[in-house]
Amino acid sequence: MDEPYVQDILLAAFAKYAPLLAVQTAEPINASTRLMHWREYEKIDWDTVHRSTTVFANAYCIRKGLIRKAQMAFNIQLFVAKNPDSILKTGVPDTWIFELDDVDYLDEALMECYEVENGMQANEGVDDPRLREQFILKPSLTGRGAGIYVFDTRERLESLLESEFESDDEEEDEDEESGQAVSQIREWVIQRYINRPLLLPTHGNRKFHLRVYVLAAGDLDVFVYRHMLALFAPRPYTESAGDLDDQRAHLTNTCLQAKHEGFDESDAVRLFWSLDLAQDKLDRIFDQICKILSDTFAAVSNESTSFQAWGNCIEQFGFDFLLDEDCNAFMLEANAYPDFKQTGDGLKSVVEGFMAASVATAADSLLLKDADVPDDLHQMMEADRTDLVKVFSRNNVRNW
């Protein structure tokens, strides 16, 4: 929120509702008036938000069950066990929680995810990378591509883990959002790697993932913003499918790409609805994403120890999805405080639209709920929310 790219868009969205809504940028919080407390998570006055009936926040205090990869995997596994017909059974890659204190205990750790061990053994003698069982290792807490590796052999996994554990304190890569050094993390998830992703010849046969902006409001309505993004890797996947060290072919995070010389924002980020796919395929993909998100929030909202939706809060999330060659959608992870800046200047209108829709939702359902709001302002709020698609509500009646 302290990033000018985001702050300018946010303040412009709130300015549309002046003077009914006032923006407070100084401390302390004035709890005597209805106020939207929109700050970085660590700077939110949670005590005031929890006690007040007039102060509203732009984040939920407890939501680790959604944004921590291991915790979300656990919640989804519980939900699928109780709801075997859920789309989450096929809409999330097979995921294993992987805990390790030292590489010397790798054998014991792999006993908890024996399918991974069996998959690596089955790869012996299989040369075609698209026929090998491949897996991706992700720290449970970090984001922006930090500490993520693809592997398909026991030797490679062991080597990657040794590199992580042996990192010197002075050289540790600290994740900006969690404030935790990657080399100190002892909890990962292992996901089955989708090694036959959808590739589009008109986009250079490069791997891509979809960034889906999601708004959760109050206790609890969930909306998907229709204008999704496609984030492309810089190198063709077909040429590097077997080279697991080529992160520029396998990883699609634009924050990683921007560090390389020659980064072209317009080539890395595209609009989902403008992809070179038939309209019925685009519609089918969007329908899958809405169903997956509906059941995801049904899964996490049932676990109050790791997700609590307070009625005076809203939160924006960035969900990442991958498509396989048959246009099946797979949810990879959820990110709190998504890095809007990676959208770039060319598609800044997407962020502006999502921010306007978020502020309109906060104004209508929280801030101005009991106020005397002019008709033209109501019409503006409805117009700003046109591209929000409601997919879930707290009473577990699925909206999709």
Side-chain angles (χ1 to χ4, degrees):
M1 293 301 127
D2 295 334
E3 168 62 48
Y5 179 97
V6 177
Q7 192 174 79
D8 293 346
I9 296 173
L10 176 64
L11 292 177
F14 270 108
K16 296 167 65 175
Y17 298 95
L20 286 177
L21 287 183
V23 178
Q24 180 179 336
T25 58
E27 302 286 358
I29 296 175
N30 180 7
S32 63
T33 184
R34 297 178 78 85
L35 173 72
M36 189 76 208
H37 190 36
W38 201 297
R39 301 295 302 275
E40 296 288 347
Y41 181 89
E42 295 80 7
K43 296 180 180 179
I44 294 177
D45 184 346
W46 289 113
D47 184 55
T48 298
V49 172
H50 186 251
R51 290 184 293 104
S52 175
T53 59
T54 59
V55 176
F56 306 87
N58 66 305
Y60 293 111
C61 184
I62 299 173
R63 74 277 206 259
K64 64 182 180 180
L66 181 67
I67 64 173
R68 291 190 180 183
K69 299 178 185 68
Q71 191 69 55
M72 183 168 73
F74 178 75
N75 289 338
I76 286 176
Q77 289 166 5
L78 285 180
F79 185 81
V80 170
K82 299 174 183 177
N83 302 272
D85 295 330
S86 169
I87 192 172
L88 296 181
K89 189 171 185 178
T90 56
V92 178
D94 292 335
T95 305
W96 298 269
I97 299 172
F98 182 68
E99 297 179 339
L100 186 66
D101 293 326
D102 190 278
V103 180
D104 290 340
Y105 301 106
L106 181 58
D107 286 335
E108 290 83 350
L110 285 175
M111 290 178 63
E112 299 297 322
C113 41
Y114 62 88
E115 297 96 333
V116 177
E117 177 82 5
N118 292 343
M120 292 187 291
Q121 293 177 357
N123 287 333
E124 297 178 6
V126 180
D127 296 325
D128 187 343
R130 289 164 59 87
L131 298 179
R132 296 171 67 87
E133 289 198 51
Q134 296 176 332
F135 305 91
I136 187 164
L137 179 73
K138 302 178 181 180
S140 183
L141 289 177
T142 62
R144 301 181 181 180
I148 296 179
Y149 305 100
V150 182
F151 66 94
D152 58 5
T153 66
R154 166 68 178 262
E155 292 73 23
R156 177 172 173 80
L157 174 61
E158 191 165 345
S159 175
L160 293 171
L161 291 171
E162 286 176 349
S163 297
E164 288 294 303
F165 279 98
E166 291 174 359
S167 296
D168 293 332
D169 291 342
E170 297 82 8
E171 299 176 357
E172 286 171 349
D173 183 13
E174 187 175 273
D175 180 63
E176 294 180 7
E177 292 189 6
S178 69
Q180 186 164 4
V182 174
S183 61
Q184 291 181 343
I185 292 174
R186 296 297 179 263
E187 183 180 63
W188 290 266
V189 294
I190 295 176
Q191 285 185 332
R192 192 176 298 280
Y193 188 58
I194 300 169
N195 59 2
R196 294 190 179 190
L198 178 65
L199 304 174
L200 303 175
T202 51
H203 294 282
N205 287 322
R206 293 174 296 150
K207 182 182 173 182
F208 66 94
H209 79 268
L210 301 180
R211 166 51 62 94
V212 183
Y213 291 129
V214 173
L215 177 67
D219 177 34
L220 171 70
D221 293 320
V222 179
F223 305 86
V224 173
Y225 189 58
R226 282 186 58 86
H227 299 293
M228 305 185 299
L229 300 172
L231 281 62
F232 286 83
R235 290 175 52 83
Y237 180 81
T238 49
E239 299 175 4
S240 302
D243 183 2
L244 303 186
D245 286 319
D246 189 355
Q247 291 195 335
R248 301 189 72 195
H250 289 275
L251 300 186
T252 52
N253 306 67
T254 54
C255 56
L256 295 178
Q257 299 178 37
K259 300 176 183 178
H260 293 276
E261 185 178 351
F263 171 69
D264 183 355
E265 173 191 294
S266 63
D267 196 43
V269 186
R270 302 290 182 90
L271 291 172
F272 165 74
W273 295 102
S274 67
L275 294 178
D276 188 19
L277 287 169
Q279 186 62 46
D280 62 326
K281 288 187 177 181
L282 293 172
D283 291 338
R284 176 174 168 267
I285 291 168
F286 184 71
D287 182 72
Q288 290 179 69
I289 288 173
C290 289
K291 289 178 179 177
I292 290 170
L293 288 170
S294 177
D295 276 13
T296 296
F297 277 90
V300 300
S301 63
N302 283 336
E303 304 300 326
S304 60
T305 58
S306 61
F307 188 92
Q308 295 180 17
W310 293 357
N312 60 335
C313 298
I314 67 169
E315 185 156 4
Q316 299 168 321
F317 298 98
F319 280 79
D320 292 336
F321 284 80
L322 193 69
L323 307 175
D324 70 8
E325 59 187 1
D326 297 318
C327 290
N328 295 311
F330 295 86
M331 183 186 69
L332 303 181
E333 60 186 53
N335 300 277
Y337 285 82
D339 184 10
F340 290 115
K341 191 177 180 181
Q342 71 175 298
T343 304
D345 293 326
L347 295 176
K348 194 173 184 178
S349 60
V350 173
V351 180
E352 292 171 336
F354 181 54
M355 199 67 72
S358 301
V359 171
T361 301
D364 186 42
S365 60
L366 301 178
L367 293 167
L368 302 178
K369 188 174 183 180
D370 302 318
D372 185 13
V373 180
D375 289 341
D376 60 339
L377 198 58
H378 267 305
Q379 292 172 4
M380 184 172 67
M381 287 189 287
E382 288 303 313
D384 283 345
R385 296 195 298 175
T386 299
D387 292 317
L388 287 181
V389 179
K390 190 174 184 179
V391 296
F392 178 79
S393 60
R394 166 62 85 173
N395 59 13
N396 287 343
V397 175
R398 298 178 190 176
N399 294 84
W400 198 264

